[in-house]
Amino acid sequence: MRIMIVDDNPMNVTVVQEMLKRAGYRDVHSAPSGMELFRLLGLNEEGQEADWQPSGDPGYDLILLDMMMPRVDGIAACRAIKQIERLRDIPIIMVTAIGDSKKLAEALDAGAIDYVTKPINKIELLARIRVALRLKEEKDWHKERDRRLREELQLAREVQTAALPLPIISDDIEIGALYCPSEELAGDLYAWYRIDEHRYGVAVIDAMGHGISSSLVCMFIASILKDAMVHIVDPKHVIEELNRRALQLQFADQLIHYYYTGIYLLVDLKQGKVEYVNAGHPPGLLIRQDGTTERLEGGSPAIGLFDDMEVTKQSVSIDEGDRLLLVTDGLIDAVDAPAFEQLNGLFTQLQELGKQLPPQEWRTPLMEDSAVLERPDDRCLVWIDIKSKNGQ
């Protein structure tokens, strides 16, 4: 543990150093003024980050700081140190010869965690130092754990992002997505796959909640969704399979039960038809070439709620120039309107954007300029543009 003693009186420094060395503290340093402390910490005369870096390791585990010093007193030095991100966790104990309660309160307000009075009582000093160093050790442990957690979350986010499909751009169809997680990890998932020459499976999933738990549920879904789309194909049976697998999730706490909403489309360009199941999900929007619209409303419960899930398959016709839009409720909640008008507001906005910009350029108005929410949710938009039928 590295301890720094700051005092303009050499005799006081010597006395404290001797106390600490006899108590077993070997890595003890000293500075004769607040200005010298700033220099050792890599700060300029104003107590701000300097343009140069100090030689050696400037990290200290504790600072014993004299309150009364010329030029920069202990309170000013403490206040400056606590303004620096990399230094603010260093505990500071004030050493003072005055009993002014206002000054002591000011020192504590500046960021000092404790104080000792002169003449220094050895037993009292060592006890306060042990407490301060224990707190510093705990803070360092939490910081290291948080750092590792952030690294693991970043890796998990990269894995989750890598699991998302790349856009499909061909002569007959274009499929793409915009995605904005509310946290490091997201509870929204989209997937699509080319089943054969004329058919494409497209799914959007929204797991309950968001963050780590819902992202793990999404990764579980992603692991079975592709196989279901390719080998089962029919939307009704795909949703039934997802429901069956969701019910296999077992938790030690019986009160924990995860469910998710989803919409799965089977786009058949040869037949000019989309078969779909909407399982408790927000409606999709079909914008036809002539400007008329049709909603892909729900008809089935959310996935993972019931053993005997009643799945309703529906269908709509499609033609060249049509556009299908699928969203999650994070986009709906971001619309600045009363709750009962938010869905209509979003669909109106999407129709207007479609007249001005390609979907790839909708990120700013939809995901960056939206109303600020107290509890933001993941936002996802998938578009399917029908360019031609029968592969023509």
Side-chain angles (χ1 to χ4, degrees), residues 64 81 151 185 197 205 233 251 266 286 386:
L64 296 173
I81 291 169
E151 290 179 353
L185 297 175
E197 187 176 356
I205 300 294
V233 183
F251 300 94
L266 178 62
L286 169 60
I386 309 300

Side-chain angles (χ1 to χ4, degrees), residues 290-302:
D290 61 7
T292 59
T293 63
E294 187 170 345
R295 297 189 180 187
L296 282 61
E297 301 281 359
S300 304

Side-chain angles (χ1 to χ4, degrees), residues 205 239 242-243 246 258-262 279 301-306 309:
I205 300 294
I239 296 299
L242 290 177
N243 188 66
Y258 274 96
Y259 66 90
Y260 54 94
T261 68
I303 301 166
L305 288 178
F306 307 108
M309 179 181 180

Side-chain angles (χ1 to χ4, degrees), residues 346-360:
L346 175 62
F347 283 171
T348 298
Q349 184 182 12
L350 294 177
Q351 289 175 262
E352 292 300 317
L353 285 172
K355 298 174 183 177
Q356 306 167 25
L357 300 168
Q360 296 88 338

Side-chain angles (χ1 to χ4, degrees), residues 22-242:
R22 290 187 178 185
Y25 297 103
R26 297 286 179 260
D27 198 359
V28 180
H29 306 258
S30 65
S33 66
M35 297 296 294
E36 178 63 13
L37 174 63
F38 283 172
R39 187 189 69 79
L40 292 172
L41 294 175
L43 307 180
N44 59 25
E45 294 183 357
E46 286 73 37
Q48 300 171 347
E49 290 282 13
D51 297 333
W52 47 270
Q53 294 296 321
S55 59
D57 181 9
Y60 298 101
D61 297 296
L62 174 66
I63 298 176
L64 296 173
L65 186 56
D66 188 28
M67 186 179 292
M68 302 300 293
M69 294 185 294
R71 294 192 64 183
V72 179
D73 65 18
I75 294 176
C78 179
R79 185 177 292 111
I81 291 169
K82 294 301 178 179
Q83 296 298 316
I84 306 300
E85 176 67 29
R86 63 182 176 86
L87 303 175
R88 65 180 46 163
D89 287 338
I90 301 175
I92 296 176
I93 296 177
M94 285 292 183
V95 181
T96 177
I98 64 176
D100 187 342
S101 59
K102 290 184 178 179
K103 278 291 184 182
L104 292 175
E106 186 179 352
L108 294 174
D109 288 341
I113 67 166
D114 209 341
Y115 67 91
V116 293
T117 57
K118 299 176 183 178
I120 295 175
N121 180 291
K122 178 181 177 181
I123 294 176
E124 179 185 355
L125 174 65
L126 294 178
R128 295 180 187 273
I129 286 176
R130 284 194 297 271
V131 171
L133 291 177
R134 188 159 57 245
L135 290 174
K136 177 63 164 56
E137 188 175 8
E138 290 177 358
K139 275 190 174 182
D140 289 345
W141 181 85
H142 283 289
K143 286 173 66 176
E144 176 61 21
R145 186 193 63 175
D146 290 345
R147 183 192 63 79
R148 293 198 304 267
L149 180 60
R150 286 194 300 271
E151 290 179 353
E152 291 174 1
L153 286 174
Q154 179 60 34
L155 176 60
R157 182 173 184 173
E158 291 173 2
V159 171
Q160 189 177 34
T161 301
L164 298 174
L166 296 175
I168 292 177
I169 302 176
S170 66
D171 293 336
D172 52 2
I173 195 171
E174 178 177 323
I175 308 175
L178 297 176
Y179 195 36
C180 181
S182 63
E183 297 182 359
E184 286 291 335
L185 297 175
D188 287 358
L189 168 72
Y190 61 86
W192 51 72
Y193 192 77
R194 183 174 183 176
I195 297 169
D196 55 35
E197 187 176 356
H198 302 295
R199 294 188 299 172
Y200 297 81
V202 182
V204 174
I205 300 294
D206 187 353
M208 179 187 68
H210 47 80
I212 296 176
S213 57
S214 58
S215 71
L216 291 174
V217 173
C218 276
M219 294 305 293
F220 171 76
I221 299 167
S223 68
I224 60 176
L225 186 54
K226 179 180 176 180
D227 185 67
M229 285 192 293
V230 173
H231 295 100
I232 301 177
V233 183
D234 184 273
K236 183 177 186 296
H237 299 316
V238 168
I239 296 299
E240 288 173 342
E241 174 65 9
L242 290 177

Side-chain angles (χ1 to χ4, degrees), residues 337-385:
F340 64 91
E341 295 181 359
Q342 286 180 317
L343 181 61
N344 291 334
L346 175 62
F347 283 171
T348 298
Q349 184 182 12
L350 294 177
Q351 289 175 262
E352 292 300 317
L353 285 172
K355 298 174 183 177
Q356 306 167 25
L357 300 168
Q360 296 88 338
E361 299 180 23
W362 293 359
R363 177 173 293 276
T364 296
L366 287 179
M367 301 185 179
E368 297 177 10
D369 294 345
S370 301
V372 178
L373 302 176
E374 292 184 3
R375 299 183 64 184
D377 198 358
D378 306 320
R379 303 176 193 176
C380 177
L381 168 75
V382 170
W383 70 86
I384 307 167
D385 285 346

